[in-house]
Amino acid sequence: MNGRSPALIPFETHKDAALPLNGSDLSESSRPRGKGRPRTVETAAPSLVELLNLVRTGAANTRQELERQSEFGRAVVADRLTMLGDLGLVDESELGAATGGRAPRLVRFAARRAAILVATLDQTAIGVGVADLSGKLLTEHHEAADLTAPPAELSERLTALFRWSMERHAPQGSIWGISLSVPGAVQGATEGDFLTATPPVLPAWEGFPLVETLSRDFGVPVWMRSSVETMTMGELHAGAGIGARSMLFLKVGRRIGAGIVCDGQLYRGAHGAAGLIGSLPVNSGGRSGPLDTLAGSDMIQREGLSAAQDGRSPMLADIQRRGGEITAIEVSQAAQIGDPASVAILTESGHLIGQVVATLANALNPELIVLSGSIVQTNDILLAALREAVYGSSHPFVTRDLRIIRSQMGSSAGLVGAARVASEQLFAPAFLKEWVMQGSPLAHPAFTALKDRFSQTASPPPPPRARTGQELPR
């Protein structure tokens, strides 16, 4: 930070919503047709989409590699790169290493062309951040929150934190999207499509237009995914899962969910509900019920309180005697320092979860299983018990090279994954084709229609108050 208050980004007005090429009209028919230039916008867009995604994903970073990968001719590649450069989507200012001749000019994706706002909404916390167009997280902030509070209050707080994050980071471009990570499966989220209405995710938020409010206030499309999906994406692209082709990600908390990676891609299922393993039935000590009920954090808290009250855990009883609250975290910490009753509770939870994970492992044969959640982070007991159950109940071929580890990303995983979701959705071929000629997704026909609808139903919000760089909104 340089001590100065960063300039505010104009959220409501996006000057890049329809960028012209070299100051001229975007229509191909309005200018002379050069060598390799298509006759119409419709024929130019597919080649622009293919070349831009080759550059964006790192599959090609020179003109020669683009020609080879795309099988387009030299003149076509040169023409499209000129167009993408004029739109600010690629950069060719760097030179690569020479290999016997003239050094090639590198083609780089302009990841700082715009920014993505990301947020995680958990039962007890909110996290917000700013990412570039490649999905790289640039800044983040986390604070305690209660998702059972009135939704209007939480929405107002989220908006204030978004604006503060933008001021703090002061990105070069405007915002191109918002990506949210929420508890529970998100219905109706398909490739490339942004949300036009808030899906039913949280009972306390029933009927509250969170998506509509954010989209209207910031003038950008909004995407939403479950916390398990975003954390899986974060671990896959920035954590222990980098380079993995098959992976299981487990989030252990009040609910227990799994993220499934097959062939390097997140598997979402027909309706985005893949991995809801907490609803699977299990048996424990003669009792039957869902995995969430018999192994989640509510069970750990309940059994810990019972152990404190009946004297099985002097350590937990002492916490209660001093006026402290017995939560799953206290039980986990007590287990870590050797409290026998707490160790037994965490071991039972780990064994039950491990039995379900062993079934998944036998079916999917992952190379890596990653555990996350505050309970997992505060002790080694649950992880050890889960490993024992998986290794003991899986086929030897399945466990031969299988690694079962704890996530090192913590609360950052959800933000990183949310950023990746927005990045992939913005540049999904079908979605990208509709806006690439204008240079901004804010000119996508479907989003333009949505903005028109918003403009007819509500007036724009007041501009944000200027603050110093590190000052949190009250």
Side-chain angles (χ1 to χ4, degrees), residues 5 27 43 78 89 111 116 166 194 196 200 208 211 245 258 282 290 322-323 337 341 396 419 434 441 446 455 457 462:
S5 177
S27 173
T43 54
L89 294 171
I116 300 167
M166 289 296 291
F194 55 88
T196 58
F208 184 80
V211 167
R245 304 298 299 171
V282 292
R322 289 185 282 108
I337 57 179
E434 296 297 321
S455 67
T457 58

Side-chain angles (χ1 to χ4, degrees), residues 102-187:
R102 188 170 61 180
R105 193 165 293 280
L106 297 178
V107 185
R108 302 290 195 194
F109 174 56
R112 298 296 180 94
R113 170 73 172 80
I116 300 167
L117 293 176
V118 294
T120 57
L121 305 178
D122 208 345
Q123 297 293 341
T124 58
I126 287 180
V128 297
V130 180
D132 65 19
L133 294 180
S134 70
K136 179 183 178 182
L137 195 62
L138 304 175
T139 184
E140 62 182 293
H141 166 78
H142 301 268
E143 63 178 50
D146 180 7
L147 286 196
T148 62
E153 294 180 10
L154 287 170
S155 175
E156 183 179 348
R157 182 59 180 169
L158 182 60
T159 297
L161 289 173
F162 272 154
R163 295 191 186 282
W164 172 76
S165 295
M166 289 296 291
E167 295 169 24
R168 182 187 181 201
H169 183 66
Q172 299 173 1
S174 61
I175 311 169
W176 275 9
I178 293 175
S179 184
L180 304 177
S181 170
V182 298
V186 178
Q187 302 177 28

Side-chain angles (χ1 to χ4, degrees), residues 15-34:
K15 296 181 179 179
D16 61 348
L19 292 175
L21 293 175
N22 296 325
S24 61
D25 189 86
L26 285 169
S27 173
E28 293 288 348
S29 60
S30 66
R31 60 173 179 264
R33 179 173 178 261

Side-chain angles (χ1 to χ4, degrees), residues 19 22 26 57 63 101 115 135 143 157 169 185 188 248 292 295 299 383-384 392 398-399 404 412 439 446-447:
L19 292 175
N22 296 325
L26 285 169
T57 59
R63 293 193 174 201
E143 63 178 50
R157 182 59 180 169
H169 183 66
L248 283 177
D292 284 343
M299 181 281 291
L383 176 61
V398 170
T399 58
I404 304 176
S412 297
F447 185 66

Side-chain angles (χ1 to χ4, degrees), residues 125-443:
I126 287 180
V128 297
V130 180
D132 65 19
L133 294 180
S134 70
K136 179 183 178 182
L137 195 62
L138 304 175
T139 184
E140 62 182 293
H141 166 78
H142 301 268
E143 63 178 50
D146 180 7
L147 286 196
T148 62
E153 294 180 10
L154 287 170
S155 175
E156 183 179 348
R157 182 59 180 169
L158 182 60
T159 297
L161 289 173
F162 272 154
R163 295 191 186 282
W164 172 76
S165 295
M166 289 296 291
E167 295 169 24
R168 182 187 181 201
H169 183 66
Q172 299 173 1
S174 61
I175 311 169
W176 275 9
I178 293 175
S179 184
L180 304 177
S181 170
V182 298
V186 178
Q187 302 177 28
T190 57
E191 181 179 349
D193 292 337
F194 55 88
L195 294 174
T196 58
T198 304
V201 177
L202 299 173
W205 291 55
E206 186 71 29
F208 184 80
L210 175 63
V211 167
E212 298 91 324
T213 300
L214 292 174
S215 189
R216 181 183 63 245
D217 288 358
F218 291 97
V220 296
V222 176
W223 288 273
M224 184 184 289
R225 292 289 187 272
S226 75
S227 59
V228 174
E229 287 183 322
T230 57
M231 294 175 76
T232 303
M233 291 282 283
E235 197 71 44
L236 178 65
H237 294 286
I242 293 177
R245 304 298 299 171
S246 57
M247 180 181 80
L248 283 177
F249 180 90
L250 300 175
K251 182 184 179 185
V252 180
R254 179 174 295 173
R255 293 189 179 97
I256 301 169
I260 304 169
V261 174
C262 294
D263 198 24
Q265 300 294 320
L266 177 70
Y267 177 73
R268 304 191 65 239
H271 302 291
L276 298 180
I277 63 173
S279 298
L280 293 176
V282 292
N283 295 291
S284 174
R287 295 177 299 165
S288 298
L291 183 65
D292 284 343
T293 303
L294 297 185
S297 62
D298 284 349
M299 181 281 291
I300 295 172
Q301 179 182 22
R302 184 174 61 250
E303 292 299 317
L305 183 60
S306 174
Q309 293 173 342
D310 64 18
R312 285 182 291 125
S313 173
M315 190 174 297
L316 294 177
D318 183 61
I319 294 174
Q320 193 175 43
R321 190 181 309 111
R322 289 185 282 108
E325 183 182 5
I326 303 297
T327 70
I329 298 300
E330 277 68 40
V331 179
S332 299
Q333 292 172 340
Q336 185 66 17
I337 57 179
D339 178 59
S342 299
V343 169
I345 295 170
L346 268 295
T347 299
E348 177 66 13
S349 174
H351 280 156
L352 288 175
I353 299 171
Q355 290 171 17
V356 172
V357 173
T359 301
L360 289 176
N362 281 315
L364 301 173
N365 187 25
E367 60 191 278
L368 176 67
I369 297 175
V370 181
L371 272 68
S372 185
S374 56
I375 300 170
V376 177
Q377 300 296 333
T378 52
N379 75 95
D380 299 319
I381 311 300
L382 190 146
L383 176 61
L386 183 143
R387 282 174 171 161
E388 182 181 30
V390 172
Y391 289 133
S393 302
S394 301
H395 192 283
F397 284 172
V398 170
T399 58
R400 183 170 58 187
D401 299 312
L402 176 63
R403 293 183 297 138
I404 304 176
I405 63 174
R406 180 190 292 117
S407 173
Q408 300 300 315
M409 294 191 67
S411 55
S412 297
L415 291 176
V416 173
R420 292 292 305 199
V421 166
S423 175
E424 293 187 2
Q425 297 300 298
L426 283 168
F427 295 96
F431 190 77
L432 176 58
K433 183 180 177 182
E434 296 297 321
W435 66 261
V436 66
M437 295 297 296
Q438 284 71 41
S440 167
L442 307 182

Side-chain angles (χ1 to χ4, degrees), residues 28 31-40:
E28 293 288 348
R31 60 173 179 264
R33 179 173 178 261
K35 183 177 180 181
R37 188 177 296 279
R39 295 182 183 275
T40 65

Side-chain angles (χ1 to χ4, degrees), residues 444-469:
H444 190 289
F447 185 66
T448 301
L450 183 64
K451 286 193 294 184
D452 291 341
R453 192 182 82 191
F454 286 153
S455 67
Q456 296 170 5
T457 58
S459 57
R465 177 178 64 88
R467 304 183 186 94
T468 57

